[in-house]
Amino acid sequence: MIHLPDEHGRFGAFGGAFVPETLIYALEELKQSFYSAKEDPSFCNTLDSMLRHFAGRPTPLTCCENLSHKFDCKIYLKREDLLHTGAHKINNAIGQALLAKRMGKTRLIAETGAGQHGVAVATVGAKLGFETEIYMGSKDIERQRLNVFRMELMGANVHSVNSGSKTLKDAINEALRDWTASVENTHYLLGSVLGPHPYPDMVAHFQSVIGREAREQILEAEERLPNMIVACVGGGSNAIGIFRSFLSDAEVRLIGVEAGGSGIETGKHAARFGDLKSGRPGVLHGTYSYVLQDPFGQIIETHSVAAGLDYPAVGPEHAFWRDFGRIEFTSVRDDEALEALRFLSQTEGILPALESAHALSHAFRLAETADRHEIIVINLSGRGDKDIFELERILRGGHEPLRPAV
Amino acid sequence: MNRYALQFERLRQHGEGALIPFVTLGDPDFERSHRVIEALIRAGADMLELGIPFSDPIADGPTIQNANLRALQHGMSTNRAFELVGLVRASHPDIPLGLLVYSNLVLAYGLEEFYRAARSTGVDSILVADLPLEESEHWLWAAHQYDIKQVFLVSLTTCAERMRRIIQSSSAFIYLVAALGVTGAREAIQKRLFEMIPLLRRETSLPICTGFGISKPEQIQPILTLGADGVIVGSAIIQLIERNLNEEAKMMNEIEQFVSQLKEQTRVSVSSHEAASSSGSI
């Protein structure tokens, strides 16, 4: 098995740390702290205990009988939606916050797009006694008022970011600027497998608990590995979290699903691998990976109904495994994701997050042609409660009762 | 021709520090940006740092980010930026011109292509804001190949051992980042800056230029007295562009006046320091 990343945070050609000199000190400190903590039994025990007793791990691997019956193959969901705060984001937030404690930091800062990561950080900040500040684009604040209020309830201070496209990427710019100035008492709790080394490796490490559990659970239930694992990919933290435990199992297909937005051909999407013209390797926010950009390297604004997938770059580890041929990528449009969301809700009584609905939609495509002995595992990265108002706006329109989807 | 060495030497002989204004190429648009640059030179700029606009400039504060966005909105691109640099070079054959860029702009253009284009446009140095030493191997090769000076940042949090490695890879000058970024921390910054400049001075004969957070004429002398050879002023000038977007004459006047005031402060005799006398390695 290839050991990744190397000491410079490189996954083959991808990754690294493209940051101003002012951040090097902070990254060095973080690197040393993370790589020693991850081998320290007392740190691992504390982390494990908090995941168990505060976040609600392990999460179930649910066998979906109704879906399995409809498609004539076996479909399982890894239930990250059941975690405290409603998504896998809490795994990483707990890990990094404990690390920040260990480094003696007193303040946490974080970026958030949909607000799920912001909520997770605000929650952990409250639990562990940090001063917590969340950067969020002003456009996202409008779209996700409920999550903003949740963060405020947890005692966090939410900063509205008005620069650039006023979304996630600008929130990251702002958080990086804050960190440059506040390194000494502040930890930047980045939410995905993005950014400069060691973030992509560290976040993947804290999320890899998903795959470790899933592997054990499927072996117990089926006494064999699944044929396919499907996960949605924004930055890619839930996906790498489940994929990492199966990378060496050549017989398991690993499939990442990007946001197809209104369709690749419309240019309104976030499919870094799917758009062959604009999705090219480049540097955004400190890492070298596939980035949606114009011919001169200016970053292109993205679109997705799922705010958590609405980002112009993808984690470098995904870029590496994709070029290597180990992880396959595809994309799902907004309308297809919405349809899958309704289908799962009606069939299994589970309301998925719009992000996770992208993975579901593609998994249903695969299930159509799957053999009855085949097993598909979908990483259900989050629950759809946060999307309720947006869903109502899109699906209901006026005051008509919502008709069942077919 | 080594324009930096010649200029630093000339300044040294006159007992002056270097005033290095920074603006974003194409801010607010191509034509006015050209006139702003001419105003900077008229007002006494000894060298220029010119930024190619990028959509996500993580090393810059909101003022410069907005300058970047204004320029992009007015159709600025890497090619147009080179075009503008070429115009400046054509009328000012001797002034040292430095580019400040983000790595993605260079990678998208093609690393070698970019350095080649910079060379043929008359650029003397390139500073890549998000390129630390660890990632710079190919870039240094390209710089060497096309006779461009590669400038690196040293920050107040850079440790001594790393500082030495950065110095070894640097040419033209060392760019010392004077601020950690926020107000309120100013006293601590002052203290570290006071330690850092003499420390750097002992380690290198390269000129030391200090930037980030220098916005007032009265900040200049204390920095030069500590042993720095120049100051870089960006945001404070760009604010004058931003404030006068609808009044061009006023924009140019205010910029010219402000920059002359800054230049005046670099003329007040700088205490001599032996290290700067050897300019051979620049």
Side-chain angles (χ1 to χ4, degrees), chain B residues 206-241:
Chain B
L206 279 175
I208 300 162
C209 298
T210 303
F212 279 54
I214 299 174
S215 58
K216 297 190 186 83
E218 60 267 29
Q219 288 172 296
I220 292 178
Q221 272 191 54
I223 291 169
L224 295 179
T225 311
L226 280 171
D229 302 276
V231 289
I232 300 147
V233 182
S235 300
I237 296 170
I238 290 168
Q239 275 166 8
L240 299 177
I241 299 179

Tab-separated table of all heavy atoms in Angstrom, chain B residues 206-241:
chain	number	residue	atom	x	y	z
B	206	LEU	N	22.102	41.361	1.766
B	206	LEU	CA	21.008	41.757	0.876
B	206	LEU	C	20.237	42.898	1.514
B	206	LEU	O	20.083	42.939	2.729
B	206	LEU	CB	20.039	40.588	0.680
B	206	LEU	CG	20.386	39.506	-0.325
B	206	LEU	CD1	19.341	38.387	-0.246
B	206	LEU	CD2	20.429	40.068	-1.734
B	207	PRO	N	19.716	43.817	0.710
B	207	PRO	CA	18.875	44.858	1.280
B	207	PRO	C	17.646	44.244	1.961
B	207	PRO	O	17.131	43.229	1.515
B	207	PRO	CB	18.456	45.683	0.063
B	207	PRO	CG	19.469	45.386	-0.978
B	207	PRO	CD	19.915	43.982	-0.736
B	208	ILE	N	17.215	44.886	3.054
B	208	ILE	CA	16.027	44.442	3.775
B	208	ILE	C	14.932	45.477	3.558
B	208	ILE	O	15.119	46.651	3.849
B	208	ILE	CB	16.308	44.338	5.281
B	208	ILE	CG1	17.431	43.342	5.541
B	208	ILE	CG2	15.044	43.949	6.048
B	208	ILE	CD1	18.055	43.478	6.914
B	209	CYS	N	13.821	45.040	3.014
B	209	CYS	CA	12.713	45.965	2.817
B	209	CYS	C	11.527	45.465	3.638
B	209	CYS	O	11.225	44.282	3.663
B	209	CYS	CB	12.339	46.068	1.343
B	209	CYS	SG	13.719	46.714	0.380
B	210	THR	N	10.877	46.411	4.293
B	210	THR	CA	9.830	46.070	5.231
B	210	THR	C	8.479	46.524	4.701
B	210	THR	O	8.363	47.645	4.217
B	210	THR	CB	10.127	46.748	6.580
B	210	THR	OG1	11.412	46.331	6.996
B	210	THR	CG2	9.129	46.360	7.626
B	211	GLY	N	7.502	45.647	4.791
B	211	GLY	CA	6.171	46.004	4.313
B	211	GLY	C	5.080	45.388	5.166
B	211	GLY	O	5.380	44.687	6.136
B	212	PHE	N	3.841	45.640	4.832
B	212	PHE	CA	2.626	45.205	5.544
B	212	PHE	C	2.373	46.160	6.714
B	212	PHE	O	3.158	46.214	7.658
B	212	PHE	CB	2.717	43.777	6.102
B	212	PHE	CG	2.440	42.702	5.082
B	212	PHE	CD1	3.151	42.657	3.889
B	212	PHE	CD2	1.474	41.732	5.310
B	212	PHE	CE1	2.907	41.666	2.953
B	212	PHE	CE2	1.222	40.731	4.370
B	212	PHE	CZ	1.934	40.696	3.197
B	213	GLY	N	1.314	46.885	6.641
B	213	GLY	CA	0.912	47.711	7.780
B	213	GLY	C	1.645	49.037	7.903
B	213	GLY	O	1.523	49.710	8.913
B	214	ILE	N	2.452	49.413	6.885
B	214	ILE	CA	3.085	50.732	6.945
B	214	ILE	C	2.192	51.702	6.178
B	214	ILE	O	2.027	51.581	4.966
B	214	ILE	CB	4.500	50.704	6.346
B	214	ILE	CG1	5.357	49.734	7.163
B	214	ILE	CG2	5.118	52.110	6.341
B	214	ILE	CD1	6.718	49.497	6.606
B	215	SER	N	1.587	52.631	6.896
B	215	SER	CA	0.596	53.478	6.259
B	215	SER	C	0.808	54.956	6.526
B	215	SER	O	0.107	55.797	5.976
B	215	SER	CB	-0.798	53.077	6.742
B	215	SER	OG	-0.852	53.198	8.153
B	216	LYS	N	1.780	55.287	7.370
B	216	LYS	CA	1.978	56.699	7.710
B	216	LYS	C	3.446	57.085	7.544
B	216	LYS	O	4.337	56.295	7.856
B	216	LYS	CB	1.573	56.943	9.164
B	216	LYS	CG	0.103	56.686	9.441
B	216	LYS	CD	-0.250	57.178	10.840
B	216	LYS	CE	-1.666	56.799	11.212
B	216	LYS	NZ	-1.743	55.405	11.736
B	217	PRO	N	3.679	58.331	7.092
B	217	PRO	CA	5.057	58.785	6.906
B	217	PRO	C	5.893	58.621	8.175
B	217	PRO	O	7.061	58.225	8.098
B	217	PRO	CB	4.900	60.265	6.551
B	217	PRO	CG	3.530	60.391	5.959
B	217	PRO	CD	2.691	59.352	6.640
B	218	GLU	N	5.278	58.870	9.341
B	218	GLU	CA	6.084	58.823	10.570
B	218	GLU	C	6.514	57.412	10.975
B	218	GLU	O	7.355	57.244	11.858
B	218	GLU	CB	5.358	59.525	11.731
B	218	GLU	CG	4.015	58.938	12.094
B	218	GLU	CD	2.857	59.642	11.362
B	218	GLU	OE1	3.080	60.160	10.236
B	218	GLU	OE2	1.736	59.658	11.915
B	219	GLN	N	5.962	56.385	10.309
B	219	GLN	CA	6.397	55.021	10.639
B	219	GLN	C	7.723	54.674	9.964
B	219	GLN	O	8.380	53.711	10.330
B	219	GLN	CB	5.341	54.008	10.165
B	219	GLN	CG	4.068	53.991	10.985
B	219	GLN	CD	3.033	53.104	10.318
B	219	GLN	OE1	2.566	53.388	9.206
B	219	GLN	NE2	2.679	52.007	10.978
B	220	ILE	N	8.092	55.472	8.957
B	220	ILE	CA	9.218	55.074	8.103
B	220	ILE	C	10.581	55.208	8.783
B	220	ILE	O	11.389	54.274	8.777
B	220	ILE	CB	9.176	55.861	6.769
B	220	ILE	CG1	7.944	55.395	5.972
B	220	ILE	CG2	10.455	55.676	5.979
B	220	ILE	CD1	7.739	56.117	4.663
B	221	GLN	N	10.813	56.367	9.405
B	221	GLN	CA	12.157	56.576	9.951
B	221	GLN	C	12.600	55.560	10.997
B	221	GLN	O	13.737	55.071	10.934
B	221	GLN	CB	12.254	57.990	10.504
B	221	GLN	CG	12.670	58.945	9.410
B	221	GLN	CD	13.024	60.271	10.007
B	221	GLN	OE1	13.857	60.344	10.911
B	221	GLN	NE2	12.370	61.306	9.508
B	222	PRO	N	11.726	55.248	11.962
B	222	PRO	CA	12.174	54.255	12.959
B	222	PRO	C	12.608	52.934	12.310
B	222	PRO	O	13.578	52.314	12.754
B	222	PRO	CB	10.933	54.039	13.827
B	222	PRO	CG	10.099	55.257	13.636
B	222	PRO	CD	10.394	55.759	12.266
B	223	ILE	N	11.923	52.537	11.246
B	223	ILE	CA	12.261	51.275	10.577
B	223	ILE	C	13.611	51.375	9.872
B	223	ILE	O	14.443	50.473	9.955
B	223	ILE	CB	11.145	50.884	9.585
B	223	ILE	CG1	9.878	50.486	10.374
B	223	ILE	CG2	11.575	49.743	8.676
B	223	ILE	CD1	8.647	50.323	9.534
B	224	LEU	N	13.837	52.490	9.206
B	224	LEU	CA	15.119	52.670	8.511
B	224	LEU	C	16.261	52.790	9.518
B	224	LEU	O	17.352	52.270	9.301
B	224	LEU	CB	15.066	53.907	7.613
B	224	LEU	CG	14.067	53.838	6.441
B	224	LEU	CD1	14.096	55.137	5.641
B	224	LEU	CD2	14.361	52.656	5.524
B	225	THR	N	15.977	53.446	10.626
B	225	THR	CA	17.015	53.618	11.643
B	225	THR	C	17.467	52.280	12.214
B	225	THR	O	18.623	52.099	12.561
B	225	THR	CB	16.483	54.516	12.788
B	225	THR	OG1	15.896	55.676	12.200
B	225	THR	CG2	17.596	54.922	13.722
B	226	LEU	N	16.534	51.339	12.274
B	226	LEU	CA	16.877	50.013	12.784
B	226	LEU	C	17.784	49.233	11.846
B	226	LEU	O	18.349	48.211	12.224
B	226	LEU	CB	15.609	49.190	12.994
B	226	LEU	CG	14.819	49.467	14.257
B	226	LEU	CD1	13.497	48.736	14.200
B	226	LEU	CD2	15.621	49.002	15.471
B	227	GLY	N	17.890	49.699	10.602
B	227	GLY	CA	18.781	49.007	9.689
B	227	GLY	C	18.103	48.490	8.435
B	227	GLY	O	18.730	47.830	7.603
B	228	ALA	N	16.821	48.772	8.267
B	228	ALA	CA	16.163	48.356	7.027
B	228	ALA	C	16.607	49.281	5.894
B	228	ALA	O	16.992	50.422	6.132
B	228	ALA	CB	14.655	48.405	7.188
B	229	ASP	N	16.558	48.768	4.662
B	229	ASP	CA	17.010	49.549	3.509
B	229	ASP	C	15.864	50.160	2.731
B	229	ASP	O	16.092	50.990	1.858
B	229	ASP	CB	17.820	48.649	2.568
B	229	ASP	CG	19.004	48.039	3.272
B	229	ASP	OD1	20.048	48.693	3.355
B	229	ASP	OD2	18.866	46.907	3.797
B	230	GLY	N	14.648	49.699	3.016
B	230	GLY	CA	13.529	50.255	2.272
B	230	GLY	C	12.211	49.900	2.921
B	230	GLY	O	12.143	49.034	3.793
B	231	VAL	N	11.165	50.604	2.499
B	231	VAL	CA	9.823	50.285	2.985
B	231	VAL	C	8.874	50.108	1.808
B	231	VAL	O	9.010	50.788	0.779
B	231	VAL	CB	9.262	51.380	3.917
B	231	VAL	CG1	9.988	51.380	5.246
B	231	VAL	CG2	9.334	52.745	3.259
B	232	ILE	N	7.937	49.181	1.969
B	232	ILE	CA	6.937	48.920	0.939
B	232	ILE	C	5.590	49.406	1.480
B	232	ILE	O	5.194	49.036	2.581
B	232	ILE	CB	6.880	47.417	0.608
B	232	ILE	CG1	8.263	46.964	0.100
B	232	ILE	CG2	5.805	47.132	-0.435
B	232	ILE	CD1	8.612	45.562	0.452
B	233	VAL	N	4.926	50.261	0.715
B	233	VAL	CA	3.635	50.792	1.152
B	233	VAL	C	2.586	50.460	0.099
B	233	VAL	O	2.744	50.837	-1.068
B	233	VAL	CB	3.700	52.327	1.360
B	233	VAL	CG1	2.355	52.857	1.851
B	233	VAL	CG2	4.811	52.680	2.345
B	234	GLY	N	1.564	49.722	0.481
B	234	GLY	CA	0.549	49.303	-0.481
B	234	GLY	C	-0.846	49.797	-0.161
B	234	GLY	O	-1.355	50.724	-0.781
B	235	SER	N	-1.456	49.210	0.879
B	235	SER	CA	-2.861	49.498	1.190
B	235	SER	C	-3.161	50.988	1.316
B	235	SER	O	-4.192	51.461	0.848
B	235	SER	CB	-3.260	48.792	2.485
B	235	SER	OG	-3.096	47.413	2.332
B	236	ALA	N	-2.249	51.731	1.955
B	236	ALA	CA	-2.520	53.154	2.183
B	236	ALA	C	-2.649	53.900	0.855
B	236	ALA	O	-3.443	54.837	0.739
B	236	ALA	CB	-1.410	53.765	3.027
B	237	ILE	N	-1.888	53.481	-0.151
B	237	ILE	CA	-1.989	54.114	-1.473
B	237	ILE	C	-3.270	53.652	-2.175
B	237	ILE	O	-3.988	54.450	-2.780
B	237	ILE	CB	-0.746	53.762	-2.333
B	237	ILE	CG1	0.513	54.353	-1.690
B	237	ILE	CG2	-0.923	54.256	-3.772
B	237	ILE	CD1	1.815	53.887	-2.313
B	238	ILE	N	-3.550	52.367	-2.036
B	238	ILE	CA	-4.730	51.820	-2.704
B	238	ILE	C	-6.018	52.432	-2.133
B	238	ILE	O	-6.993	52.633	-2.849
B	238	ILE	CB	-4.711	50.275	-2.617
B	238	ILE	CG1	-3.577	49.772	-3.516
B	238	ILE	CG2	-6.038	49.669	-3.033
B	238	ILE	CD1	-3.232	48.324	-3.347
B	239	GLN	N	-5.983	52.760	-0.845
B	239	GLN	CA	-7.143	53.442	-0.266
B	239	GLN	C	-7.428	54.772	-0.955
B	239	GLN	O	-8.578	55.181	-1.079
B	239	GLN	CB	-6.936	53.663	1.233
B	239	GLN	CG	-7.358	52.441	2.049
B	239	GLN	CD	-6.852	52.483	3.476
B	239	GLN	OE1	-6.308	53.501	3.919
B	239	GLN	NE2	-7.018	51.383	4.190
B	240	LEU	N	-6.373	55.429	-1.406
B	240	LEU	CA	-6.574	56.705	-2.113
B	240	LEU	C	-7.222	56.473	-3.483
B	240	LEU	O	-7.974	57.305	-3.973
B	240	LEU	CB	-5.245	57.450	-2.277
B	240	LEU	CG	-4.551	57.838	-0.971
B	240	LEU	CD1	-3.207	58.505	-1.238
B	240	LEU	CD2	-5.444	58.748	-0.132
B	241	ILE	N	-6.917	55.333	-4.088
B	241	ILE	CA	-7.595	54.974	-5.344
B	241	ILE	C	-9.069	54.707	-5.052
B	241	ILE	O	-9.956	55.264	-5.689
B	241	ILE	CB	-6.951	53.710	-5.978
B	241	ILE	CG1	-5.478	53.964	-6.318
B	241	ILE	CG2	-7.742	53.268	-7.208
B	241	ILE	CD1	-4.742	52.779	-6.924
